[in-house]
Amino acid sequence: MSSQSTLADDDLFGEAAAEMREEVEGHLADARASLPDSEDIWDAEADNVLGVLNALKSALDVGDAEEHLRQAKKTFIVGQRAEAFDDPDSLEAEIEAIEELLASIDDAEALVGDLTGTMPQLRSQLQEAAEAAADAEDGDESDD
């Protein structure tokens, strides 16, 4: 192999590495763009707590963020194993930050789901307790 073809191979490798980095960064940007808007999960307009919880559950939808992150990770792993990136730590840190954020959103979504199921049941139990207290009070008054 001549030194000229080696230089051409090095140029091609450098070009491919730059394209891989751009692809990873593009997928990470797309993942971040797919994340819920902070105001959408903070502001809620509803008539009751169940409406707020349902709105919050909808607002926590991450869209295609997980798929974009998956694509970024696939390209990153290939580039990392080929030692194609000058600074793989910065890309890895970005990937980890988005993974952690998606995990936090997933945790919040699970909590909201639990509350969505619990709140109507709690309301019903409180109504029954209030009715029982009212019945007991009526019973005490009739004893007089």
Side-chain angles (χ1 to χ4, degrees):
M1 189 178 227
S2 71
S3 65
Q4 192 169 4
S5 67
T6 302
L7 287 175
D9 289 350
D10 288 347
D11 288 344
L12 288 174
F13 184 81
E15 192 176 311
E19 289 172 2
M20 289 178 82
R21 184 176 193 96
E22 285 177 25
E23 184 178 338
V24 172
E25 290 172 344
H27 283 299
L28 291 174
D30 290 343
R32 282 190 295 275
S34 296
L35 294 172
D37 181 80
S38 63
E39 293 305 312
D40 289 344
I41 66 162
W42 191 252
D43 295 333
E45 293 184 29
D47 294 332
N48 56 47
V49 73
L50 190 57
V52 169
L53 291 170
N54 284 327
L56 179 56
K57 189 168 175 70
S58 293
L60 289 170
D61 181 15
V62 295
D64 294 333
E66 290 173 332
E67 182 57 29
H68 289 299
L69 178 63
R70 184 176 188 281
Q71 293 300 321
K73 286 175 71 171
K74 282 181 4 184
T75 304
F76 174 75
I77 289 168
V78 170
Q80 185 181 38
R81 289 189 180 161
E83 297 180 7
F85 303 127
D86 291 334
D87 182 17
D89 293 343
S90 65
L91 287 175
E92 192 168 26
E94 284 186 63
I95 288 169
E96 288 173 0
I98 292 173
E99 281 180 320
E100 289 172 11
L101 184 52
L102 286 173
S104 294
I105 292 169
D106 191 47
D107 290 347
E109 194 171 22
L111 291 169
V112 170
D114 289 347
L115 281 173
T116 301
T118 301
M119 295 310 292
Q121 181 182 4
L122 179 59
R123 179 180 183 223
S124 178
Q125 290 172 327
L126 289 170
Q127 286 173 332
E128 289 171 10
E131 289 170 8
D135 289 348
E137 205 172 284
D138 288 344
D140 287 345
E141 287 178 12
S142 65
D143 291 341
D144 290 337

